Amino acid sequence: MSPTLLKILFIAIAVFIIYKLIFSGKKGLPLFEMHFKDGRMSSHKGKIPDKFAKECRAIAKSNKLTCTVRAEKLGDVRLHVSANVSDTITQRIRNVFPFEYYDKKQVDNSRKTS
């Protein structure tokens, strides 16, 4: 191979590695996302536990929240609330979130023998 081709290949690999390091942040599997505007749910995605959705709507309505609440699974479940929400309201939302609903271990019945 010619030296010019090796240099181009080396630069291309370096650019690819730098791109991956910068733009591939650790993101988990999104479970759900809720958007509130002036205390009302404007949109949502994913499967939201019914009791949590009801409690979260009540909190948002009483405080006229404009925010986003989302949950993602990366090993364990993480709940993210927008930064414009106060810490006390964020804690109230975390307190009603059913973490135990997602902590259930999946049983693999395919490997069991009778």
Side-chain angles (χ1 to χ4, degrees), residues 5 30 54 81 91-92 97 104 110:
L5 188 60
K54 188 189 315 180
V81 182
Q91 189 58 48
R92 284 179 57 196
F97 184 72
K104 295 177 188 171
S110 64

Side-chain angles (χ1 to χ4, degrees), residues 6-20:
L6 286 175
K7 288 178 185 177
I8 292 173
L9 183 64
F10 178 75
I11 291 172
I13 291 172
V15 168
F16 177 76
I17 291 172
I18 291 171
Y19 175 80
K20 282 295 190 181

Side-chain angles (χ1 to χ4, degrees), residues 51-71:
K51 185 177 178 185
F52 176 69
K54 188 189 315 180
E55 295 285 334
C56 205
R57 283 180 179 165
I59 292 170
K61 187 176 182 181
S62 66
N63 295 298
K64 299 286 186 198
L65 293 181
T66 299
C67 68
T68 300
V69 178
R70 65 183 163 89

Side-chain angles (χ1 to χ4, degrees), residues 19-70:
Y19 175 80
K20 282 295 190 181
L21 289 174
I22 292 173
F23 294 111
S24 69
K26 270 192 159 181
K27 287 219 171 198
L29 173 72
L31 298 173
F32 65 82
E33 188 170 314
M34 299 187 296
H35 298 273
F36 293 97
K37 186 169 185 175
D38 297 326
R40 302 195 69 162
M41 186 184 295
S42 60
S43 66
H44 63 85
K45 290 189 246 181
K47 175 77 172 99
I48 306 168
D50 294 330
K51 185 177 178 185
F52 176 69
K54 188 189 315 180
E55 295 285 334
C56 205
R57 283 180 179 165
I59 292 170
K61 187 176 182 181
S62 66
N63 295 298
K64 299 286 186 198
L65 293 181
T66 299
C67 68
T68 300
V69 178
R70 65 183 163 89

